[in-house]
Amino acid sequence: MANFKTHLNGAFAVSGVLSLISYKAGLLDNHEFLICVAIGTVGGLLPDIDSDNSTPIKLGFDAASLMVAFILVIHWRSSLSLLSLFALWLSAYGIMRYGVFSLFTKLTVHRGIIHSVPYMAILSLGLVCINFYLLGTPTITSWFYGLFLFIGAMVHLGLDEAYSVDLLNRRLKRSSGTAMKFYQHKQQPYYMVLYALLATLLFIAPPFAPLWNHLTDPITWFLLKKGLLPQEFFSQLISIL
Ligand SMILES: [Zn+2]
């Protein structure tokens, strides 16, 4: 059944294999390879993020809040006193966990617009733009991150479609429609906003051509073919981990 564990394993397996292939083809370096696996796995959990009654999602919110708190503390470790760091950690965690995420779950309905292809495309393109414009990540790497998030999310929607169950393993009614959702008439205004946002992001996103040229370059795949021995694959993976 496509429960939390299936989503986690499915997204991890697909993004693991795809990023390993990209890594072996020389498209990703050691760090980028691991980041792609992580992003793909997160993408596989993302469509259910608006589900209020799911323990795994609550755990995910906890983990994300903790991570934000720790990142802030690490960022300001040299300029703040121990006491202020502690206060920063506590308030960052509190605001994220009981402010941002609580508000988020109140505003959304499970299997609403978040559980759809255009919403996931927006998040993926958003990740590309944040990486490229704010973090100074190279074009190709930014696109890789966005693509992996999208692939993970599509694995999730595909699994839901295949199993037609919700997070609590209940069989869904036929009326709930398809999991691989592009549009729903009763939520027309929301979808119009989504597609407008998607078009805007496509317009401002960095050029896709550099990645496309790399992917369609026969040299890339020739190198991969030369080095693609199963035992090498695994020893490489172990040496990185
Ligand atoms: Zn789902």
Side-chain angles (χ1 to χ4, degrees):
M1 295 265 127
N3 52 22
F4 179 79
K5 218 174 141 198
T6 312
H7 283 312
L8 188 72
N9 292 338
F12 178 73
V14 172
S15 48
V17 168
L18 287 179
S19 53
L20 196 54
I21 291 171
S22 313
Y23 172 64
K24 279 299 282 180
L27 295 165
L28 299 168
D29 70 18
N30 294 2
H31 290 110
E32 291 160 1
F33 162 60
L34 291 178
I35 292 171
C36 279
V37 180
I39 289 176
T41 310
V42 168
L45 306 175
L46 222 46
D48 280 346
I49 201 94
D50 59 344
S51 161
D52 303 355
N53 48 9
S54 138
T55 315
I57 299 306
K58 281 193 183 124
L59 285 176
F61 282 170
D62 267 333
S65 307
L66 281 174
M67 230 156 76
V68 170
F70 276 117
I71 287 171
L72 288 177
V73 167
I74 291 166
H75 188 76
W76 272 295
R77 67 187 181 282
S78 47
S79 50
L80 289 176
S81 70
L82 186 65
L83 200 67
S84 341
L85 278 179
F86 188 69
L88 175 72
W89 187 91
L90 214 61
S91 46
Y93 175 77
I95 289 169
M96 284 305 289
R97 182 65 187 88
Y98 300 103
V100 175
F101 283 133
S102 294
L103 189 72
F104 185 70
T105 48
K106 277 198 188 83
L107 288 175
T108 51
V109 185
H110 184 48
R111 294 218 161 230
I113 55 167
I114 291 181
H115 209 277
S116 73
V117 178
Y119 198 98
M120 289 300 132
I122 287 173
L123 289 186
S124 308
L125 276 169
L127 186 66
V128 175
C129 291
I130 287 172
N131 267 284
F132 183 74
Y133 292 111
L134 298 182
L135 305 176
T137 312
T139 319
I140 292 179
T141 317
S142 301
W143 273 109
F144 257 111
Y145 292 165
L147 278 178
F148 270 92
L149 192 75
F150 191 67
I151 289 166
M154 289 309 104
V155 170
H156 177 113
L157 297 185
L159 281 170
D160 274 356
E161 181 75 55
Y163 287 102
S164 289
V165 293
D166 67 6
L167 273 174
L168 301 170
N169 285 343
R170 286 186 306 233
R171 197 147 272 283
L172 288 164
K173 285 177 244 118
R174 280 204 170 270
S175 58
S176 62
T178 170
M180 210 81 178
K181 207 163 46 204
F182 285 91
Y183 176 75
Q184 250 192 334
H185 192 64
K186 60 178 183 193
Q187 289 175 315
Q188 192 189 29
Y190 292 110
Y191 276 95
M192 279 166 73
V193 174
L194 276 190
Y195 279 106
L197 204 61
L198 187 61
T200 314
L201 279 168
L202 277 172
F203 184 70
I204 60 169
F208 188 69
L211 176 63
W212 183 248
N213 292 342
H214 253 298
L215 289 177
T216 49
D217 189 350
I219 297 283
T220 307
W221 307 111
F222 178 70
L223 287 173
L224 177 70
K225 238 159 92 187
K226 268 180 71 184
L228 197 76
L229 295 167
Q231 61 266 46
E232 235 185 275
F233 237 63
F234 287 108
S235 58
Q236 202 99 36
L237 183 65
I238 289 162
S239 71
I240 294 165
L241 294 173

